[in-house]
Each structure stands twice: as structure tokens, then as C-alpha cells.
Amino acid sequence: MRPEDTNNWAGDSHEPAGAPEPGTHANYRRKLWHFASGASVVAALVIFAPSKRWAIAILAAGLALMIVIDLVRFFSRRGKKLFWKHLGFLTSVKEKKGPTTSLYYAASLLACVLIFPVYAAVGGVISLAAGDPVAAIVGRRYG
């Protein structure tokens, strides 16, 4: 892998030097992460959440985890260092100073299950999981 294909850190601050460039391995890894996380949620909802109550509990726990990760990243120097070391390759430069897009993703999944029946939310999650990365790849290449 070439150095320019990764989301490198800027010095000792453990922050990204920039967003993955379109067409690089880092950008495709990010898209694969989006798809895999959505597919995991669908699997969890179908296999482990036989009721709406369980679906809400699982997704609320995921959202709480995302909130904790962001809070630790913002308010702990060690947390920030660990975040960028282990998860920095999944982030874009715009996430440097604000919440990660994973937080919004988790919140939208929970909102889907709160508003719609679980079977409808599963369809929405599948559309989001597959459609978001495909649209980004096609849009960057042809749009």
C-alpha cells in the first residue's frame, strides 16, 4: 500500500492529514466500512431483535457507544490518540473537529426503528448500507 493511500496522521497530534482521496484504498475501505456496519445492523435486527423493544435497545446501545467514543476523543488526550491510531483510517478530515458520521448514522438507524415498524426499518437500513457507498463511488467517478 502506498503512503498516499492511507489517512496519515499530522505529526504527533494523531489527527488525520486529510480525507482519503477518491479512488484510493483508504476511500474504498471507508465505503466498505459503511456497508459492513449497515449489514451488521440488519443482521442484528433480524437475528437478535425479535421485537421492536429489542431493536430499540440494541440501536440505543450503539448510539450510546458512538457518543461515548466521541466524548472521549474530544475530552481525553489519550482517548484522542487511541481513536486516531485505531479508527483514523475510517474518518474524513471534516470529522477532525466535529462528531463522526458514525454518530449520525447510529442516530438515524435508531430513529428509523422508533418511527417505523422493524421490518420497514430493516429495508431502510439495507438501502442506506448499500446505497450510500455505491452512490459515493459512482458519483465521484461519473458525477
Side-chain angles (χ1 to χ4, degrees):
M1 180 180 298
R2 302 177 319 215
E4 60 271 14
D5 288 345
T6 61
N7 201 0
N8 296 321
W9 300 300
D12 291 330
S13 67
H14 296 282
E15 294 174 1
E21 289 296 318
T24 65
H25 294 293
N27 193 47
Y28 289 123
R29 277 191 309 222
R30 184 172 162 84
K31 301 305 174 207
L32 181 61
W33 170 256
H34 285 188
F35 176 75
S37 61
S40 299
V41 168
V42 168
L45 290 175
V46 171
I47 296 168
F48 302 113
S51 70
K52 188 168 183 149
R53 176 180 280 155
W54 275 105
I56 291 169
I58 290 169
L59 294 173
L63 177 59
L65 178 64
M66 296 298 132
I67 291 170
V68 168
I69 288 171
D70 269 354
L71 289 174
V72 169
R73 175 173 66 106
F74 286 124
F75 296 110
S76 166
R77 185 173 215 156
R78 180 165 165 74
K80 183 178 190 176
K81 181 179 178 180
L82 287 171
F83 177 86
W84 290 114
K85 180 179 180 183
H86 297 291
L87 299 173
F89 71 97
L90 294 172
T91 62
S92 69
V93 73
K94 68 181 177 182
E95 294 170 318
K96 180 178 171 181
K97 294 185 180 185
T100 61
T101 55
S102 295
L103 181 98
Y104 297 116
Y105 194 83
S108 66
L109 297 178
L110 179 59
C112 282
V113 170
L114 286 170
I115 296 168
F116 303 108
V118 175
Y119 68 87
V122 167
V125 173
I126 291 170
S127 298
L128 180 62
D132 182 47
V134 169
I137 291 168
V138 170
R140 292 211 187 252
R141 179 164 286 191
Y142 300 107

